Amino acid sequence: MLRRVKTDTSKNSLFASLSVTAIGAVICAAGLWACEGEKQSAPVAETLATKSQPWFEEISDRANLKFAHESGHVERNYFPEIMAGGAALFDMDGDGDLDIYLVQSSSLTNPPEERAPNRLYKNQGDGTFIDVTQGSGADDRGYGMGVATGDYDNDGDVDLYITNVQENVLLANDGTGIFTDVTSQAGVGNTSWSTSAAFVDIDLDGDLDLFVANYVHWNLNDDVACRSNSGELDYCSPNSYDAPIPDVLYLNNGDGTFTDISLQAGFRSAFGNGLGVVCGDVDGNGLPDIFVANDQMPNQLWINIDGKSFEDQAMLYGCAVDQNGDAKAGMGTTAIDYDDDGDLDLFVVNLQSEPDTLYRNQGSYFTDDTSAVGLGSISQRYTRFGTSITDFDNDGWLDIFTANGRVTSSTDLQGEQQDAYAELNLLLSGDAAGRFTQVTPAGGTVEKIIKTSRAAVFGDIDNDGSIDILVVNRDAQVSLLHNIAPGKGDWIIFRVVDEHNRDAIGATVQISLGQRRISREVRSAYSYCAANDPRVHFGLGSISQITEVSVRWIDGTVESFGQFTANQITTLKRNRGL
Amino acid sequence: MKKAFTISIALGAGAIIIAAGALWLTKDDKLPSTTATPSPLSPPVPDDLSKYDPALVDVIHQAAQRVRDIPNDSEMRLQLGMVYEANGIYPLAEQTYRQHLDLNPEDARVWYRLAIVYEKVGRLEKSIQAIGHAAEFNNKYAPIQWRLGLWLFDAGRIDEAYNAFARATEIDLEEPAGWYGLARIALARNQPQHAIEIIDAHLLQGNVAPRGYQLLGRAHSLLGNSEKAKAAFAHTTTGKLHWRDPWTTEAMTFQTGVTAKRTLAARYILQRNFQKAIPILEDLIKDKPEELTLLSQLSSAYIEIGQPRRGKAILDEAWQTNRDSFQINYALAKVIVRTPNVSQQELDQALMYVNRAIDSNSSSSLAFTAKAMIQFRRNRPDSSITAFKHAFELDSRRTDQLVNAGFLECNLKLYSDACVTFETAISHSPNLADAYVGSAKALTELGKYDEARSALLRAQELGSANRSRLADALNRLNQLQPTGAPNAPPR
């Protein structure tokens, strides 16, 4: 049933494509030289036929989103320049649509006052955004990496935590999109080079704690000049520094302040070059665990023992290294129940020549399902950063997007672009069997976008029921990818809020579609240096009636909200169900 | 009408097959070029050589000239390809190997190299195609088969991967890569018991053992034996594993210039062959006198061969222009504290360096360890204890620093504090023998003789305690409570 929308479309397209291919092939047979321009060989025809229409159009200009990330690169290759670029999609003023926060980096050598600031854009509800940075208090000028969103003070609005190469910043929202820097009072000014961060209620006490991934000890005085094998100056790998920094866990004291409990909680017992963070209850004990994707070091899976102490059990669970036993270059990461078995699976994207890793949760350990779902070969061509496993075409089956860009220069330039780090992004379509195939046109966009992409942020910007993507590109304008996937199915989106009227981060929404049960968590922190739309989206295919919706709140209470019809955005508020 | 339709379909299908086959060798399949190739036999060279290492440019010129001199000698062309491959110029490596294959299409070694070039740029399907040709023309070289197996496994073609790994073991029964692949496939097929059999028989010896134990841990996880899994994982390491592959080893000998020298120096340092590392590092520093990593490595090498003052002189010079560098300040502090017979003034200087390092990176456990050692040598045990403990707080894997703090507390007769310190160390590292020795020492002084004896017995069981510390602790215990002494520690 769920496949109907896509299947019908596929049949028609397949017929048309086969006819075209056959005719083309006869012409080619007359002179092979003429065929050189053809990029696809015959075996690809079926893939082309089923996936040959773009799923996204790039609309940043149309949306008046002119922001261009600046790495600050001039001559010398300073390490952070190749890693930076974060963003958030969040509703800053409670008007029901997603606004945008873009983290700027600018120059590492200039003092902060001479750097370009981060930017805040308000969604005007008409498909355009307006820059409201001035006077908003959100114009931090640290050398920015990423951002986390969450209502840390339970006042009903979304606050921002910005990760920088130097001191991080906590900005408290007054509910209208005016922010105050409360870093010092709150005690969360981590000064290490931070990357991704996540607000998460680790002790289930009703307020959001804060986990911050740190990358490498680096400062201008210790910058290492690295070269490629052929002797060209290039960016370093973290191994050139061999200086991983422990991650930090701040416990929310409930009074606007936090306490750094990293040591007591066990986070000093293992650490790596942290880049990606995702939180969720991996072991099913009711407490949120924390997964950190480390760059060229084993990943950590911090199992939450009792709300106050954690143990790194990544090796035991089988998600520290890949199926070859290698510690890969973990960049972005996400967690989702991709096989509908009720537990959280993990996904990590990596460097060129290293396949993505899809860790399938088997209860007390993970199996590496990367090859089994068809991801082993597709992903290796690129260096992937921002990512999500999301049902972009609402057919009921999860798809994958990765934002790509190299970290070392390449002579293997793609197309006409001059950026030696630029690569195509990757869009993979998932099917009912759980396998993924590449969508063409490559990257899924009307026109090829070849940039050095870092954060990819996911959310329904126009509230039309399909997930759009904001991609931050190094030294280039952002890409705002509006979802125009062909033959989209039905959908439903839930905003899930707790008794404080804040997004119930960590709660799980389960829907019943006949015999099928689908679970998704309320989560904003995943991908790379990104804060995403925390609303829970389900693609429904052709099903227009959901027989049951329930929410498992973070304290374990399950609340039923009954039946829903498709194609609506609705709020599930705690204690308003059955 | 029906027949005509059938013929047209057949023609169409045939044309598709021809076109598809031809595409394998069309330019769209190739890595983008960095140069124009004037004729099929003319060796490709980069358009712009100025950006490359001068030593590499020389080697490219020489190798390309040899190809021009003897254009039909495929060996010369292979060497040029390997120069490009070993130095990361993959598009030209691909072009050169393809030229070679035009001359000698059945050369398995070149198909193999081409396959590896494709792997380097993440084109797995093309790697599989190319290595398939290598396998066609050589059925005796095991790495062709295990690499094919690895790539097929990545591509999700499990049954084919199994066959490739099995062929690798048939070619060379002693080849662990094939067995490793077969064990992985057994795990992927949810056959953990079969995986354990393979691992037990072939993968728990020699340099492959850490990976064997990793697979063993995963097999036990699949079987639900979490204790056995934990025990197996305790033996694992996670560095890149390099299987034996003489063809690739040969290709890598063509690595040239700075990178090659760095690689060689790093290898010597890892082997603790500092005498050989030093001239290479000095040579590298001639070209890059400002590079702190090299200076730091050279300084450390001099310390290791017993010439700490020479090591310090190198760093002193670097410090003049890098006074805020963590790396240089830390290295200077370390070199002083490791130098015998240093003056109080030098130790004060070391403290200044380490404090500057900490100002730069306050999360470095290593810096606090260095500070603790400096304070110890400055006869400031309180400060030393604080620094050792802070080093542990910053990295709780470093329980050895807690043990140092505990022994210093014993020296200060702070036995209760020492007990707590050693207990903390034991709770983090239950197999750390010296922590039990320290605990016994403190407990003895507190009159808790039975507990002290238990701790000493545990230290003896573990067998890795510092002998003199163990003997001292035992003697002291026997002195205060002569009866029921455990056996003397083995010599």
Side-chain angles (χ1 to χ4, degrees):
Chain A
M1 276 296 273
L2 283 171
R3 300 292 301 152
R4 205 184 70 195
V5 171
K6 183 177 269 182
T7 309
D8 290 345
T9 312
S10 304
K11 279 179 186 167
N12 293 336
S13 311
L14 181 64
F15 180 78
S17 173
L18 274 177
S19 308
V20 169
T21 309
I23 294 163
V26 173
I27 296 166
C28 288
L32 280 175
W33 185 87
C35 301
E36 288 191 355
E38 294 288 325
K39 299 251 177 189
Q40 303 296 339
S41 55
V44 188
E46 189 176 340
T47 311
L48 269 176
T50 53
K51 315 276 161 46
S52 60
Q53 288 176 271
W55 287 23
F56 294 96
E57 57 174 342
E58 204 289 305
I59 59 159
S60 56
D61 280 333
R62 199 168 83 204
N64 198 30
L65 198 61
K66 305 287 188 187
F67 178 91
H69 173 260
E70 297 168 19
S71 73
H73 176 68
V74 179
E75 191 172 338
R76 182 157 181 163
N77 297 307
Y78 291 116
F79 192 11
E81 292 169 0
I82 198 64
M83 305 302 291
L89 286 175
F90 74 118
D91 185 359
M92 69 174 173
D93 46 9
D95 64 354
D97 55 29
L98 292 171
D99 308 296
I100 293 176
Y101 190 69
L102 285 155
V103 179
Q104 185 56 281
S105 301
S106 199
S107 169
L108 280 158
T109 50
N110 286 350
E113 58 274 16
E114 291 176 23
R115 291 186 190 138
N118 298 344
R119 289 278 170 193
L120 183 64
Y121 289 87
K122 179 175 165 50
N123 189 335
Q124 303 198 97
D126 60 356
T128 67
F129 291 83
I130 182 168
D131 186 339
V132 294
T133 313
Q134 196 167 11
S136 70
D139 55 342
D140 182 60
R141 290 169 191 263
Y143 191 93
M145 288 295 300
V147 56
T149 53
D151 180 9
Y152 84 96
D153 49 3
N154 282 338
D155 65 352
D157 54 44
V158 186
D159 310 299
L160 296 170
Y161 184 74
I162 298 135
T163 58
N164 288 321
V165 171
Q166 295 95 5
E167 188 178 15
N168 298 341
V169 173
L170 178 62
L171 299 177
N173 189 349
D174 75 350
T176 67
I178 303 297
F179 294 84
T180 306
D181 184 343
V182 294
T183 314
S184 299
Q185 303 94 295
V188 290
N190 176 49
T191 54
S192 299
W193 176 359
S194 306
T195 51
S196 297
F199 283 104
V200 52
D201 185 359
I202 58 143
D203 52 357
L204 311 184
D205 65 348
D207 54 34
L208 291 172
D209 310 296
L210 176 62
F211 181 81
V212 185
N214 288 323
Y215 187 44
V216 168
H217 169 71
W218 179 93
N219 61 40
L220 277 173
N221 300 319
D222 288 313
D223 187 66
V224 176
C226 291
R227 287 172 186 274
S228 69
N229 278 0
S230 55
E232 296 168 84
L233 273 172
D234 209 339
Y235 288 103
C236 295
S237 100
N239 291 341
S240 304
Y241 291 86
D242 189 19
I245 321 175
D247 301 326
V248 178
L249 179 63
Y250 293 108
L251 187 73
N252 193 329
N253 300 321
D255 59 359
T257 67
F258 290 79
T259 304
D260 180 349
I261 61 160
S262 313
L263 174 65
Q264 305 90 304
F267 287 94
R268 300 283 163 79
S269 63
F271 48 90
N273 308 309
L275 286 181
V277 172
V278 68
C279 306
D281 183 10
V282 165
D283 61 348
N285 72 346
L287 295 165
D289 309 302
I290 301 170
F291 179 77
V292 184
N294 288 316
D295 190 358
Q296 313 216 7
M297 293 182 77
N299 303 319
Q300 266 94 48
L301 176 61
W302 293 103
I303 294 292
N304 191 337
I305 306 297
D306 55 8
K308 291 173 187 160
S309 53
F310 290 75
E311 276 179 17
D312 173 27
Q313 296 189 7
M315 191 61 87
L316 196 59
Y317 269 78
C319 57
V321 294
D322 72 353
Q323 58 188 352
N324 280 321
D326 290 333
K328 295 198 295 194
M331 311 290 197
T333 185
T334 189
I336 195 164
D337 178 14
Y338 93 93
D339 52 358
D340 290 344
D341 66 349
D343 53 31
L344 275 182
D345 309 295
L346 295 169
F347 182 62
V348 188
V349 294
N350 304 106
L351 203 62
Q352 187 200 45
S353 298
E354 296 175 339
D356 297 332
T357 312
L358 180 62
Y359 295 110
R360 183 175 188 172
N361 194 335
Q362 304 284 11
S364 57
Y365 59 89
F366 291 94
T367 49
D368 184 339
D369 268 16
T370 311
S371 304
V373 300
L375 291 173
S377 57
I378 302 173
S379 57
Q380 295 197 25
R381 189 162 171 185
Y382 306 107
T383 295
R384 292 87 64 198
F385 279 85
T387 191
S388 179
I389 301 183
T390 296
D391 182 0
F392 292 109
D393 58 352
N394 291 342
D395 68 346
W397 308 109
L398 294 166
D399 313 299
I400 296 176
F401 180 87
T402 61
N404 306 328
R406 297 175 60 93
V407 288
T408 54
S409 65
S410 172
T411 49
D412 183 7
L413 299 180
Q414 298 180 34
E416 300 302 312
Q417 47 76 30
Q418 294 300 306
D419 181 350
Y421 301 92
E423 291 183 322
L424 266 170
N425 298 326
L426 198 57
L427 178 63
L428 306 171
S429 170
D431 62 20
R435 288 186 67 84
F436 297 93
T437 48
Q438 191 168 354
V439 172
T440 52
T445 48
V446 177
E447 288 180 17
K448 272 188 182 177
I449 299 174
I450 305 177
K451 294 183 176 179
T452 307
S453 301
R454 292 296 177 253
V457 195
F458 302 86
D460 184 1
I461 287 167
D462 50 359
N463 287 337
D464 69 346
S466 55
I467 300 300
D468 311 294
I469 309 171
L470 174 67
V471 181
V472 180
N473 302 307
R474 176 184 187 256
D475 290 330
Q477 189 174 350
V478 295
S479 304
L480 185 57
L481 306 182
H482 177 233
N483 191 326
I484 53 164
K488 277 185 283 198
D490 292 328
W491 54 275
I492 194 159
I493 290 177
F494 297 109
R495 181 170 183 235
V496 188
V497 295
D498 66 8
E499 61 273 31
H500 304 290
N501 209 33
R502 71 161 165 81
D503 293 300
I505 303 291
T508 305
V509 180
Q510 187 179 76
I511 65 168
S512 300
L513 302 174
Q515 296 298 308
R516 188 178 173 206
R517 306 268 184 284
I518 310 176
S519 298
R520 301 283 179 259
E521 288 201 3
V522 181
R523 176 181 296 117
S524 68
Y526 61 91
S527 187
Y528 174 79
C529 291
N532 304 273
D533 185 352
R535 295 176 299 178
V536 180
H537 164 265
F538 294 90
L540 304 175
S542 58
I543 292 182
S544 55
Q545 187 71 28
I546 300 162
T547 49
E548 167 67 16
V549 173
S550 63
V551 176
R552 182 180 180 277
W553 302 100
I554 59 165
D555 62 4
T557 311
V558 177
E559 193 172 347
S560 172
F561 288 85
Q563 294 187 4
F564 283 83
T565 51
N567 305 324
Q568 60 170 316
I569 297 174
T570 189
T571 299
L572 305 176
K573 185 160 187 177
R574 185 160 192 174
N575 302 325
R576 297 284 173 83
L578 300 175
Chain B
M1 184 67 181
K2 191 177 175 186
K3 190 178 174 188
F5 179 74
T6 309
I7 290 169
S8 104
I9 290 287
L11 276 174
I16 291 168
I17 292 163
I18 292 165
L23 276 172
W24 159 238
L25 291 173
T26 63
K27 67 183 180 186
D28 284 326
D29 280 341
K30 298 174 186 174
L31 302 185
S33 169
T34 58
T35 183
T37 311
S39 83
L41 287 178
S42 175
V45 287
D47 285 334
D48 177 13
L49 282 164
S50 64
K51 60 186 178 180
Y52 297 125
D53 189 304
L56 173 59
V57 172
D58 285 347
V59 172
I60 290 171
H61 279 314
Q62 288 165 22
Q65 191 54 49
R66 283 196 293 271
V67 174
R68 284 188 206 100
D69 293 344
I70 324 172
N72 291 318
D73 185 331
S74 54
E75 187 60 27
M76 295 294 114
R77 213 170 283 274
L78 170 61
Q79 285 187 11
L80 177 63
M82 290 195 287
V83 168
Y84 289 135
E85 181 193 343
N87 293 287
I89 310 173
Y90 298 121
L92 295 193
E94 187 220 14
Q95 282 184 39
T96 312
Y97 289 146
R98 280 184 174 279
Q99 284 186 344
H100 178 109
L101 290 168
D102 286 343
L103 295 169
N104 188 358
E106 297 188 3
D107 191 333
R109 202 158 51 138
V110 177
W111 280 114
Y112 185 68
R113 298 256 53 85
L114 187 61
I116 288 175
V117 165
Y118 282 131
E119 191 224 5
K120 295 279 185 198
V121 295
R123 297 191 177 181
L124 191 67
E125 292 303 331
K126 297 200 70 62
S127 293
I128 292 170
Q129 284 176 309
I131 207 167
H133 288 294
E136 237 175 89
F137 302 121
N138 184 319
N139 58 6
K140 298 288 181 202
Y141 190 62
I144 292 176
Q145 295 299 335
W146 59 253
R147 269 193 209 277
L148 177 60
L150 284 174
W151 293 337
L152 288 168
F153 195 24
D154 271 353
R157 293 156 65 176
I158 307 290
D159 293 341
E160 293 168 81
Y162 178 90
N163 292 336
F165 287 132
R167 279 195 296 273
T169 61
E170 285 162 16
I171 293 167
D172 182 357
L173 202 63
E174 302 299 312
E175 171 55 68
W179 293 113
Y180 189 82
L182 289 175
R184 281 179 54 204
I185 285 183
L187 291 173
R189 288 174 170 168
N190 201 19
Q191 299 167 343
Q193 201 56 53
H194 181 46
I196 289 171
E197 287 162 19
I198 296 171
I199 296 161
D200 279 345
H202 302 282
L203 296 171
L204 296 182
Q205 304 96 31
N207 65 348
V208 73
R211 289 306 179 86
Y213 279 108
Q214 197 173 68
L215 291 183
L216 192 62
R218 279 157 61 190
H220 283 305
S221 287
L222 288 176
L223 288 167
N225 300 330
S226 62
E227 288 309 312
K228 284 185 177 174
K230 274 184 193 170
F233 285 133
H235 291 87
T236 63
T237 56
T238 53
K240 279 271 181 201
L241 189 57
H242 295 286
W243 306 104
R244 210 175 70 84
D245 178 1
W247 287 357
T248 299
T249 304
E250 186 204 354
M252 289 305 108
T253 61
F254 288 87
Q255 200 176 62
T256 308
V258 171
T259 309
K261 286 180 194 166
R262 276 176 176 276
T263 307
L264 192 60
R267 192 181 307 150
Y268 285 136
I269 290 169
L270 277 176
Q271 293 168 350
R272 303 192 63 75
N273 191 344
F274 299 103
Q275 294 284 10
K276 282 196 169 175
I278 284 171
I280 301 169
L281 290 167
E282 286 184 330
D283 191 29
L284 285 165
I285 287 168
K286 269 186 216 158
D287 289 336
K288 301 188 186 313
E290 80 289 357
E291 197 166 327
L292 302 184
T293 307
L294 291 173
L295 292 167
S296 183
Q297 283 178 337
L298 181 61
S299 160
S300 300
Y302 274 119
I303 296 166
E304 295 291 344
I305 63 165
Q307 297 184 32
R309 292 195 184 279
R310 193 159 175 189
K312 182 172 179 296
I314 293 163
L315 295 173
D316 277 338
E317 198 178 326
W319 190 79
Q320 295 306 320
T321 49
N322 297 282
R323 294 182 180 214
D324 293 322
S325 161
F326 170 83
Q327 206 168 8
I328 296 295
N329 280 301
Y330 169 66
L332 272 165
K334 207 170 66 167
V335 73
I336 294 171
V337 83
R338 291 184 62 178
T339 305
N341 305 318
V342 288
S343 66
Q344 188 66 33
Q345 193 185 359
E346 285 174 301
L347 286 170
D348 291 346
Q349 205 180 21
L351 186 63
M352 181 271 291
Y353 289 133
V354 83
N355 282 334
R356 290 183 83 105
I358 289 167
D359 283 346
S360 167
N361 181 6
S362 58
S363 64
S364 169
S365 175
L366 292 172
F368 279 95
T369 301
K371 182 170 183 172
M373 296 302 294
I374 293 162
Q375 295 291 36
F376 174 69
R377 292 196 64 181
R378 292 177 76 236
N379 201 21
R380 305 282 198 283
D382 286 340
S383 301
S384 182
I385 290 167
T386 305
F388 275 131
K389 288 188 173 179
H390 197 60
F392 167 76
E393 284 173 12
L394 289 168
D395 183 352
S396 57
R397 294 168 294 189
R398 311 205 65 214
T399 42
D400 52 333
Q401 305 313 321
L402 271 190
V403 172
N404 287 335
F407 276 105
L408 283 180
E409 284 169 335
C410 285
N411 291 351
L412 296 176
K413 301 191 187 320
L414 301 169
Y415 298 116
S416 296
D417 290 353
C419 275
V420 173
T421 304
F422 289 122
E423 281 304 310
T424 309
I426 289 166
S427 71
H428 282 79
S429 299
N431 296 327
L432 187 61
D434 282 330
Y436 290 95
V437 175
S439 182
K441 186 178 165 80
L443 288 165
T444 300
E445 300 300 337
L446 292 171
K448 298 178 178 176
Y449 303 128
D450 291 344
E451 289 173 58
R453 270 190 207 288
S454 298
L456 279 180
L457 276 172
R458 179 72 186 131
Q460 283 180 293
E461 281 167 16
L462 290 166
S464 53
N466 178 302
R467 297 257 169 107
S468 67
R469 277 179 175 172
L470 181 57
D472 284 349
L474 191 57
N475 289 339
R476 179 67 174 156
L477 179 59
N478 287 339
Q479 188 187 349
L480 295 178
Q481 192 209 31
T483 53
N487 294 331
R491 290 194 174 275

